[in-house]
């Protein structure tokens, strides 16, 4: 196999694979589903899972209630440890500030629980989360 087609070269990488490699999703299928569901945008455009990302592309990612805006800084060759994965993207300062603000709102909105909810309360909570 020649080195000019290595997955980590500067040519690019599929968006679903890149998201999984940099540990923004636990599995590649979750990354694929998020992209296909319109939760990931590249440079402001909704894309398909097969879309190739390149260095300096700007990604908008929505996971649960969290919105991230990251800039691609590198193409990983494998799904390595988290510190290595973080080297391949940079979160924008606006995204960090918005995430901190959301975290603070969530902390202030919900009082600390008195303990583990009983079976009845867990069912109510589960039903609330599902919508």
């Amino acid at each position: 196999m020649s080195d000019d087609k290595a997955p980590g070269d500067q040519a690019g990488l599929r968006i679903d694979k890149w998201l999984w490699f940099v540990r923004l999703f636990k599995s590649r299928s979750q990354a694929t589903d998020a992209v296909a569901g319109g939760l990931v945008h590249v440079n402001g455009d909704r894309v398909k899972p097969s879309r190739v990302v390149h260095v300096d592309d700007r990604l908008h990612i929505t996971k649960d209630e969290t919105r991230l805006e990251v800039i691609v800084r590198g193409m990983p060759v494998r799904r390595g440890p988290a510190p290595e994965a973080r080297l391949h993207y940079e979160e924008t300062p606006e995204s960090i500030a918005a995430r901190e603000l959301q975290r603070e709102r969530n902390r202030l909105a919900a009082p600390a629980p008195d303990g583990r909810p009983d079976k009845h309360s867990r069912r109510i909570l589960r039903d609330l989360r599902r919508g």
Side-chain angles (χ1 to χ4, degrees):
M1 183 170 126
S2 65
D3 286 2
D4 59 327
K5 289 290 187 182
D9 67 0
Q10 295 302 320
L13 199 61
R14 283 177 57 112
I15 182 77
D16 58 345
K17 198 178 233 186
W18 188 88
L19 290 167
W20 179 61
F21 276 179
V22 298
R23 297 184 167 268
L24 292 173
F25 287 92
K26 286 186 177 184
S27 69
R28 185 164 171 198
S29 64
Q30 285 179 343
T32 303
D33 292 344
V35 175
L39 300 177
V40 178
H41 291 75
V42 178
N43 298 325
D45 297 328
R46 184 174 173 172
V47 295
K48 294 181 179 180
S50 60
R51 168 66 153 44
V52 176
V53 291
H54 303 283
V55 175
D56 293 331
D57 280 348
R58 186 175 291 261
L59 307 179
H60 297 271
I61 304 159
T62 304
K63 284 178 57 179
D64 301 322
E65 297 174 4
T66 309
R67 290 185 172 185
L68 298 170
E69 183 177 351
V70 298
I71 300 170
V72 177
R73 292 295 179 212
M75 294 296 136
V77 178
R78 65 185 179 101
R79 187 170 199 256
E84 180 183 308
R86 280 191 294 269
L87 299 174
H88 298 289
Y89 68 90
E90 174 187 342
E91 189 173 1
T92 63
E94 298 85 17
S95 176
I96 294 170
R99 213 164 26 92
E100 292 296 326
L101 182 62
Q102 183 66 33
R103 184 179 297 140
E104 188 65 22
R105 279 192 198 137
N106 289 344
R107 188 182 67 81
L108 294 174
D114 294 332
R116 183 172 182 209
D118 61 1
K119 185 175 186 176
H120 181 74
S121 299
R122 284 195 306 270
R123 287 182 177 168
I124 293 171
L125 288 169
R126 183 186 64 220
D127 292 340
L128 283 173
R129 287 189 192 117
R130 288 184 180 166

